[in-house]
C-alpha cells in the first residue's frame, strides 16, 4: 500500500500547488457519475501485493482525505472468492457516508469500484454538523477493519470553533472478535493509545491536553460465525500535533 499512498499524496500536493493543472496528474481518466465528464482517476490494481481487502481500506481513506478520485480494479483477485464481501462493501461505504462523494460498484461480488470524493474548497468548507451513522456489516466481519477505513476520515472532518464538537458518532455492527482480523480489545487497549500518542491527537478544547478525542464502547460482543456485535465510536474535534519519531 505504500506506492498507493505516495501516488495519492503526490497528486494532492500537485493539486494544491497548482489547481488548474492538478487534474492532469492522475494515472488514467474516465467519465464520472458526478456530472464531471473530465474527471481524472488514479487507477489502483487491487491484486497488488497480497491482493486482499487492505488495499481497499487504505485507498478509500487516502482518497477521501486528499480529495482524489480513484478507480480500483481486480478487487481481492488473489483470494479464493474474489470481489467484494459484505465487510468490504461496508468499509467502502462508511467513509463516503461520513464525508460525502460518489461511489459506484459497491455491491457484494464486485471486482471494480470508482469513487469521486466531495471536492469542497478547503478555504470555504461549511461548518460540520455531527455525523451520526449506523453501519451493519450483516455478518461477523470485523468492526475493527471498518474503523481502519473510517476513523482517519472522521478525524479530518472540517472543524468548528464550538467547544467539544462531536464530529462523528458511529454505531458499528458485526464482529468484535472475528477470525483473521484485529480483536476489538487489542484495537482499544493497544492500537488506539499508540495512535493517539504517536500521532499527537489531542482534544482541541480539553485544557488538560489529554489525548481523548476518540471514544469507543462495546454494547455487545459479536463472534464468528454469527456476528451481532455492536460498538459505539465517538470522534471529537481534535488538535493534531506533529508525528512523533
Amino acid at each position: 500500500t505504500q506506492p498507493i499512498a505516495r501516488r495519492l499524496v503526490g497528486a494532492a500536493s500537485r493539486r494544491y500547488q497548482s489547481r488548474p493543472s492538478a487534474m492532469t496528474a492522475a494515472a488514467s481518466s474516465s467519465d464520472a457519475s458526478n456530472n464531471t465528464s473530465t474527471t481524472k482517476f488514479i487507477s489502483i490494481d487491487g491484486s497488488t501485493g497480497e491482493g486482499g481487502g487492505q488495499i481497499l481500506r487504505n485507498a478509500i481513506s487516502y482518497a477521501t482525505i486528499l480529495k482524489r478520485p480513484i478507480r480500483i480494479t481486480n478487487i481481492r483477485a488473489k483470494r479464493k472468492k474474489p470481489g467484494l464481501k459484505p465487510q468490504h462493501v461496508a468499509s467502502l461505504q462508511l467513509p463516503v457516508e461520513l464525508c460525502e462523494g460518489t461511489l459506484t460498484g459497491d455491491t457484494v461480488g464486485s471486482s471494480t469500484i470508482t469513487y469521486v470524493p466531495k471536492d469542497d474548497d478547503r478555504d470555504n468548507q461549511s461548518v460540520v454538523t455531527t455525523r451520526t451513522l449506523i453501519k451493519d456489516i450483516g455478518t461477523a466481519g470485523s468492526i475493527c477493519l471498518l474503523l481502519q477505513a473510517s476513523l482517519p476520515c472522521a478525524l479530518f472532518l472540517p472543524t468548528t470553533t464550538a467547544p467539544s464538537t462531536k464530529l462523528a458518532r458511529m454505531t458499528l455492527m458485526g464482529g468484535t472478535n472475528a477470525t483473521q482480523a484485529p480483536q476489538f480489545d487489542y484495537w482499544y487497549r493497544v492500537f488506539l493509545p499508540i495512535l493517539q500518542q504517536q500521532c499527537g491527537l489531542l482534544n482541541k478544547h480539553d485544557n488538560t491536553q489529554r489525548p481523548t478525542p476518540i471514544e469507543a464502547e462495546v454494547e455487545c460482543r459479536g463472534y464468528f460465525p454469527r456476528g451481532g456485535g455492536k460498538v459505539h465510536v465517538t470522534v471529537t474535534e481534535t488538535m493534531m500535533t506533529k508525528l512523533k519519531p
Side-chain angles (χ1 to χ4, degrees), residues 142 162 200:
S142 173

Side-chain angles (χ1 to χ4, degrees), residues 84-96:
L84 296 175
K85 296 178 70 173
Q87 62 264 37
H88 305 116
V89 172
S91 291
L92 291 169
Q93 291 175 343
L94 192 54
V96 177

Side-chain angles (χ1 to χ4, degrees), residues 158-220:
T159 58
T160 73
T161 57
S164 301
T165 298
K166 302 294 184 184
L167 296 180
R169 292 189 180 97
M170 299 182 287
T171 298
L172 308 178
M173 292 176 280
T176 56
N177 301 85
T179 59
Q180 298 182 338
Q183 306 294 294
F184 179 81
D185 305 87
Y186 178 87
W187 183 91
Y188 183 76
R189 297 179 183 276
V190 179
F191 173 80
L192 185 57
I194 291 174
L195 175 71
Q196 294 184 139
Q197 180 183 24
Q198 293 302 112
C199 293
L201 299 181
L202 302 174
N203 188 320
K204 188 173 182 179
H205 301 285
D206 185 347
N207 292 331
T208 64
Q209 298 294 286
R210 292 176 300 170
T212 57
I214 304 166
E215 300 173 359
E217 179 183 6
V218 175
E219 179 177 326
C220 58

Side-chain angles (χ1 to χ4, degrees), residues 112-156:
T112 301
I113 65 102
T114 61
Y115 173 47
V116 181
K118 185 177 181 181
D119 190 14
D120 290 333
D121 189 318
R122 286 191 169 189
D123 295 329
N124 295 289
Q125 285 181 340
S126 58
V127 174
V128 67
T129 56
T130 301
R131 306 281 203 269
T132 301
L133 301 175
I134 299 174
K135 181 59 66 177
D136 185 357
I137 297 173
T139 69
S142 173
I143 288 173
C144 292
L145 295 184
L146 285 188
L147 287 167
Q148 281 187 1
S150 60
L151 186 57
C153 302
L155 288 168
F156 279 90

Side-chain angles (χ1 to χ4, degrees), residues 11-114:
S13 176
R14 292 189 293 272
R15 172 178 184 267
Y16 290 111
Q17 289 173 6
S18 178
R19 290 183 67 90
S21 62
M23 299 304 286
T24 63
S28 64
S29 64
S30 175
D31 291 350
S33 58
N34 66 343
N35 298 322
T36 303
S37 61
T38 58
T39 299
K40 306 293 185 178
F41 289 91
I42 293 177
S43 290
I44 298 169
D45 185 348
S47 67
T48 300
E50 51 120 12
Q54 190 64 52
I55 194 169
L56 300 172
R57 293 184 289 272
N58 283 17
I60 199 75
S61 289
Y62 292 139
T64 300
I65 294 169
L66 299 172
K67 308 298 184 186
R68 299 303 299 168
I70 58 172
R71 176 186 289 108
I72 307 177
T73 57
N74 301 321
I75 292 173
R76 300 184 67 251
K78 295 182 180 178
R79 294 296 188 256
K80 290 182 179 179
K81 295 182 179 180
L84 296 175
K85 296 178 70 173
Q87 62 264 37
H88 305 116
V89 172
S91 291
L92 291 169
Q93 291 175 343
L94 192 54
V96 177
E97 292 169 10
L98 273 171
C99 302
E100 303 179 356
T102 302
L103 176 66
T104 63
D106 52 323
T107 57
V108 173
S110 174
S111 61
T112 301
I113 65 102
T114 61

